[in-house]
């Protein structure tokens, strides 16, 4: 019998069209749990329950929502061993340090930061113009559907991760759609969430879980008028289909889709610290078998003797390093197809061929190279994301041609420039950085992009196709909360009918705003 879905506070047998299993990437063997592919009736029931929950959540205080988030974090920690074991089996990600010591603490920290933001309330940016009688505030948008990715089963999970935390902090119920690579892990999170719901004062349907639907029902789900918004992290092809469905009805959908994260190493930096840069790039490029949305997939260099030496040393490292296990057979297949696309567009193989292994989901570490002239002739094909342990090195004639390459880049999550510490690359940096700044959400200097810190100042976003909208971040509270909120304005509404945070603060013609935990005022004339 298939595992139950979580709808309106109850685990129930799905109205399923079929079932599926996840696989252990280290053995390719199926994991002995069957999960349902829900029919539309499950989605319909979850949407109705979420709509009712959204109305109730709007009456709760930020402190009540915060209590749920903290209770959920506590229960995740109580299940830590079970969650780590399940995620390791389904993704092959190392138990330690990756899952137990890094991703799980990051996940509970996000939830507690979201709780703090919900309780403190400054994310709402309450604004009071007492002279004009106009007030505005950010409020909950309504039920949010969250589609989680395969590569971060905890920190970006559909019922545990950053999108989830932000949506709940804004006062919205969440319908989680599990990633098919780790449904058991997601189920365990939903069990902990239900325990937290039952221990606090939030509605039963605050968190619901469906494992998989047909593509048609997924598109119907994101377009449903009971849904307020959608958060999606995953492949570009699937994400754009969901976006098309949401766009037809004007539904906000926040996507994280694809990024090659260009890294430019200027000549002075290579002259100054070649071996150090080899180590930094190889460590970042092969970390976690390259399965990070911020993996440095495109390395841009100027031709020269140092570049030749750099490329040779990187090839030696890629060739001699053990290939990491990939998350799924789908990732293995997609990586091979992406390498073929790059090769067909003119990329040459330096080492490896993304040849798949048969006894686990893995491919050879692969390093490709291409000239800037070839890239400029086929920029779209040569920016194909090879999600996994593959990197493309682009060699330009000079800094001027590097600038031309940057002008042809698609939108990315990150972009990085390495330069000499003695100032010899400053002119080149000033030539390249302004254009690169416009192509990325986060610009780095002398630092690989792989890490994404949970910071109020972080932008984990960027221009299309890195994301669906360049004005928002998926990481960093409170900024990430605004994706799942609406700006509500009250004009000439009697004070006792207003939300508490908008009731009169000053009768003397002042403008008041609640920002960073305190009220500030300025004369409006």
């Amino acid at each position: 019998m298939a595992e139950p879905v979580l709808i309106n506070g109850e685990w129930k047998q799905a109205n399923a069209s079929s079932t599926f299993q996840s696989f252990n990437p280290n053995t390719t063997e199926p994991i002995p749990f069957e999960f349902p592919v829900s029919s539309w009736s499950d989605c319909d029931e979850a949407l109705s329950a979420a709509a009712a929950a959204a109305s109730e959540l709007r009456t709760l205080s930020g402190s009540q929502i915060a209590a749920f988030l903290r209770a959920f974090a506590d229960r995740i920690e109580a299940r830590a061993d079970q969650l780590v074991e399940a995620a390791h089996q389904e993704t092959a990600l190392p138990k330690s340090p990756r899952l137990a010591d890094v991703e799980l603490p990051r996940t509970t920290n996000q939830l507690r930061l979201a709780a703090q933001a919900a309780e403190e309330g400054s994310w709402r940016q309450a604004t009071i113009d007492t002279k004009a009688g106009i007030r505005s505030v950010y409020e909950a948008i309504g039920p949010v559907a969250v589609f989680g990715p395969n590569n971060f089963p905890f920190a970006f999970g559909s019922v545990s991760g950053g999108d989830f935390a932000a949506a709940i902090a804004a006062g919205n119920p969440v319908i989680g759609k599990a990633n098919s690579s780790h449904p058991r892990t997601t189920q365990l999170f939903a069990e902990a969430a239900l325990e937290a719901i039952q221990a606090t004062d939030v509605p039963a349907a605050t968190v619901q879980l469906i494992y998989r639907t047909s593509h048609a029902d997924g598109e119907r789900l994101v377009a449903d008028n009971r849904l307020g918004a959608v958060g999606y992290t995953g492949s570009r092809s699937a994400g754009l289909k969901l976006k098309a469905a949401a766009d037809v009805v004007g539904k906000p959908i926040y996507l994280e889709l694809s990024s090659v994260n260009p890294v430019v190493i200027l000549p002075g930096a290579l002259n100054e610290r070649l071996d150090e840069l080899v180590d930094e790039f190889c460590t970042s490029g092969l970390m976690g078998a390259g399965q990070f949305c911020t993996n440095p997939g495109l390395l841009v260099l100027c031709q020269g003797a140092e570049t030749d030496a750099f490329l040779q040393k990187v090839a030696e490292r890629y060739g001699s390093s053990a290939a990491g296990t990939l998350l799924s057979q789908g990732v293995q297949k997609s990586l091979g197809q992406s390498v073929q696309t790059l090769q067909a567009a003119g990329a040459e193989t330096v080492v490896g061929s993304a040849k798949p292994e048969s006894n686990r989901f893995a491919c050879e570490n692969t390093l490709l190279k291409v000239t800037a002239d070839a890239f400029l002739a086929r920029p779209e094909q040569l920016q194909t994301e090879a999600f996994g342990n593959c990197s493309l090195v682009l060699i330009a004639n000079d800094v001027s041609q590097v600038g031309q390459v940057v002008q042809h880049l698609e939108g990315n999550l990150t972009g990085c420039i390495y330069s000499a510490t003695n100032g010899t690359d400053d002119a080149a940096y000033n030539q390249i950085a302004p254009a690169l700044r416009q192509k990325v959400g986060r610009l780095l200097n002398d630092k690989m992009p792989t890490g994404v810190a949970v910071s109020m100042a972080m932008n984990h976003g960027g221009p299309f196709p890195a994301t669906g909208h360049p004005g928002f971040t998926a990481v960093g509270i409170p900024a990430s909360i605004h994706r799942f909120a609406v700006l509500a304005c009250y004009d000439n509404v009697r004070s006792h009918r207003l939300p508490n945070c908008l009731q009169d603060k000053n009768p003397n013609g002042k403008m008041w705003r609640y920002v960073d935990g305190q009220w500030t005022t300025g004369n409006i004339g």
Side-chain angles (χ1 to χ4, degrees), residues 22-31 325 329 332 357-362:
S22 56
F23 289 80
N24 186 327
N26 275 322
T27 65
T28 73
E29 295 295 322
I31 294 171
T325 303
Q329 188 174 30
Q332 182 186 51
E357 295 185 17
S358 58
N359 61 339
R360 65 181 178 130
F361 299 141

Side-chain angles (χ1 to χ4, degrees), residues 452-498:
V452 182
V454 181
S455 163
M456 290 177 66
M458 175 55 66
N459 178 21
H460 189 59
F464 182 85
T467 72
H469 194 298
F472 295 91
T473 176
V475 175
I477 291 171
S480 64
I481 299 176
H482 289 145
R483 295 171 299 159
F484 306 118
V486 294
L487 183 59
C489 185
Y490 297 84
D491 190 340
N492 201 41
V493 176
R494 296 175 191 175
S495 181
H496 70 279
R497 296 172 177 170
L498 293 165

Side-chain angles (χ1 to χ4, degrees), residues 308-347:
D308 293 341
F310 177 89
L311 190 59
Q312 180 180 349
K313 291 188 175 189
V314 170
E316 290 171 356
R317 283 278 295 274
Y318 268 56
S320 61
S321 299
T325 303
L326 299 172
L327 292 161
S328 68
Q329 188 174 30
V331 173
Q332 182 186 51
K333 181 180 178 181
S334 177
L335 178 57
Q337 291 172 338
S338 296
V339 169
Q340 290 176 5
T341 297
L342 292 168
Q343 291 171 329

Side-chain angles (χ1 to χ4, degrees), residues 353-407:
S353 62
K355 179 181 178 181
E357 295 185 17
S358 58
N359 61 339
R360 65 181 178 130
F361 299 141
C363 292
E364 294 177 336
N365 296 331
T366 301
L367 187 69
L368 307 173
K369 70 175 181 178
V370 69
T371 65
D373 289 334
F375 178 90
L376 293 171
R378 289 188 165 185
E380 182 177 350
Q381 295 93 326
L382 287 166
Q383 290 181 80
T384 298
E385 182 185 28
F387 185 75
N389 49 326
C390 173
S391 301
L392 175 64
V393 179
L394 184 154
I395 301 175
N397 294 332
D398 49 32
V399 170
S400 177
Q401 195 173 39
V402 171
Q404 294 176 47
V405 167
V406 169
Q407 293 289 350

